[in-house]
Each structure stands twice: as structure tokens, then as C-alpha cells.
Amino acid sequence: MLQELPTLSPAQFSLVYNMFSFTVATMAAAFVFFVMAQKNLAPKYRISMMVSALVVFIAGYHYFRIFNSWEGAYALNQSMGAYEPSGDPFNDAYRYVDWLLTVPLLVVELVLVMDLPKGESGWTAFKLGFAAALMIALGYPGEISGDASFFGTRGFWGFLSTLPFLYLLYVLFTELGDTIQKQSSEVATLLGNARLLLLFTWGFYPIVYMVPMAFSGYPTETPGTIVAIQVGYTIADVLAKAGYGVLIYNIARAKSIEEGFDVDEYAEPVTAGA
């Protein structure tokens, strides 16, 4: 969305600038790791790493665009010692485009690595992915609205966006709970951690989403608010994409070992007498 920007101190501008730069580098490093790590997994789990690599690739591209937009939207006023809007718009609608693509893929990753019974995996992935996309789509009108009041446009669309979020939690913590409990102790723990990470990071987005409601006026009227929104969303994205992908890798690796795949030699599954 295009925003009217406030004047920022050098520290405020640099904090957001450096967070964007850090995120681009993190997503790029995660992409390389996920691509190379596929050979450490049994063949049927490698698709989960392909999805993880796709997620961080998409996120890295969009953060690169956000980074460039932020850099171009400000210019340093040497006499004032502050960063003023340059006249070029800051467009972080890239962020919602990114979420619309990557958030459904995050739940698909989890479903793929759980190795559900044939016929159940596809339907579970579809309904969770659809709910995730709906959650993002419903939140967008409130994000771009000039009405940031709790009972106004932002609050209304935020409430609607919460409904598919609650459905996602219901499926992850109830319907899939029995499947997780049937796994080995190590895998069950890792799957539980993955669910908790999704809960923590996805729960963090609504908190940042509501930040403008704690201030009077539109969120970009105060420097502290725009900085809090950009930094908050960025931290959540790093954890929910790169960090989550590492958890998915650990789950896939543990399951590969349990099923006899020689992860140390990157060879064929171990057979009796080998």
C-alpha cells in the first residue's frame, strides 16, 4: 500500500533499513540451505524442502523490493539531521502479496512432512491453505484503510481475518493432534514445536496489526508506529519462514532416519545386513 510518510530520525530510519537488509540476507541463506539439504532426506520428504525453499525465495524477492522502496522513499536532510520523505512512495503492498503466496505454503509444508494417509493429505493441505489465504485477504482492506479505530474499518476487517485464523488453530491443534501423537517421541516433539512456532508468529501479526489502534490517527502519522509495524512484521516473517523451515527440515530428517535412510552417506535406504 502507498503511505504518507513521517520524518524519521537517523536511528529510526536505519533500524528499519537494517532489518530489511538482514531479512533479505536471511531468506537468501535459507534458500541455499533448503536446496542443498534435500539430499539429506528420504525422497518422499524432499518435496517439503522444495516448498520451504520456494517460501523463502518468494519472501526474499519481496523483501528486496520493500528494501528498495524504503530506501527510495527517504532522503537525508543534512541540516536537520533527519530523514524526510523524498516524494517517492513507500509501497509495502509487496508484503501482502508475499503473505498471500507464502502463508498457505507454510501449512502445506507441515502437512507434507507429517506424511498423512493417502487421500487425506491433499484435502487437509487444501483446506488449510485456503483458510490461510482467506486470513490474509480479509486483513488487507483494514491494513490500507485510513480508519484505524478499534470499531472502525481496521477493527472490522481484523475481526473477519481472525475467523480463519481460529479455524487454522482448531485444525492444527485438534484434528491433527491425534496424528502427531502417533509419531515417535522425537518427531512428535518437533511437530509440536512447529505448531507452536506458527501459533507464536501468526499470533504476533495481529498484535502488530493492532498497533495503530493504540495511537490516534492513521498509523503513518507517527514515526514510532511505522517503525514498530515494519520491524514487528519483519521479525515475525524471519521466524515464520526461515526459522520454521529449519524445523520442517529437522522433522523430515528425523523421519528419514527412522525409516532407514542413511543421512550421513546420502545414500539409498539402509537394508538388512548392510
Side-chain angles (χ1 to χ4, degrees):
M1 63 292 279
L2 303 179
Q3 299 183 358
E4 296 180 5
L5 301 173
T7 298
L8 300 179
S9 69
Q12 290 171 326
F13 173 82
S14 296
L15 176 60
V16 177
Y17 180 94
N18 291 332
M19 286 300 300
F20 289 160
S21 177
F22 169 79
T23 303
V24 171
T26 300
M27 298 301 179
F31 174 78
V32 173
F33 173 76
F34 295 148
V35 169
M36 297 184 66
Q38 292 182 59
K39 63 183 180 180
N40 298 1
L41 307 176
K44 70 177 179 179
Y45 295 117
R46 290 174 185 172
I47 188 172
S48 62
M49 279 298 91
M50 293 173 61
V51 175
S52 295
L54 181 61
V55 165
V56 293
F57 178 83
I58 293 171
Y61 166 76
H62 285 112
Y63 265 95
F64 179 74
R65 299 299 300 270
I66 294 172
F67 174 84
N68 287 339
S69 183
W70 179 262
E71 185 179 29
Y74 278 98
L76 177 63
N77 186 320
Q78 296 283 359
S79 61
M80 292 180 58
Y83 281 86
E84 295 183 324
S86 66
D88 293 334
F90 172 54
N91 184 2
D92 69 343
Y94 297 118
R95 192 184 298 282
Y96 267 81
V97 175
D98 171 67
W99 291 344
L100 191 61
L101 294 172
T102 59
V103 172
L105 290 175
L106 292 176
V107 291
V108 170
E109 284 182 59
L110 187 61
V111 172
L112 288 173
V113 82
M114 290 178 72
D115 193 25
L116 296 173
K118 188 176 181 180
E120 183 179 341
S121 181
W123 169 243
T124 302
F126 171 78
K127 66 181 183 180
L128 289 178
F130 179 79
L134 186 62
M135 175 178 66
I136 301 303
L138 290 175
Y140 183 69
E143 187 75 67
I144 64 174
S145 171
D147 180 3
S149 61
F150 187 81
F151 294 103
T153 304
R154 192 179 187 91
F156 172 74
W157 287 104
F159 170 75
L160 291 183
S161 179
T162 302
L163 299 179
F165 173 64
L166 294 176
Y167 172 74
L168 285 166
L169 295 183
Y170 169 77
V171 175
L172 290 173
F173 284 88
T174 59
E175 291 188 14
L176 297 180
D178 292 339
T179 302
I180 292 176
Q181 294 306 314
K182 294 177 183 178
Q183 308 289 331
S184 68
S185 176
E186 180 183 5
V187 172
T189 299
L190 290 170
L191 285 170
N193 290 339
R195 288 192 309 179
L196 290 175
L197 182 59
L198 283 182
L199 174 62
F200 172 76
T201 54
W202 288 5
F204 192 66
Y205 290 115
I207 293 174
V208 178
Y209 188 90
M210 290 187 293
V211 164
M213 301 178 189
F215 296 84
S216 59
Y218 191 59
T220 55
E221 289 183 356
T222 60
T225 309
I226 191 173
V227 171
I229 289 173
Q230 297 304 322
V231 172
Y233 280 152
T234 300
I235 292 173
D237 276 339
V238 169
L239 293 175
K241 295 180 173 66
Y244 177 77
V246 172
L247 262 179
I248 294 296
Y249 166 73
N250 287 328
I251 294 168
R253 188 174 187 275
K255 290 175 75 72
S256 296
I257 293 173
E258 290 176 358
E259 295 174 14
F261 185 77
D262 191 342
V263 298
D264 294 321
E265 297 297 330
Y266 318 130
E268 296 299 320
V270 176
T271 58

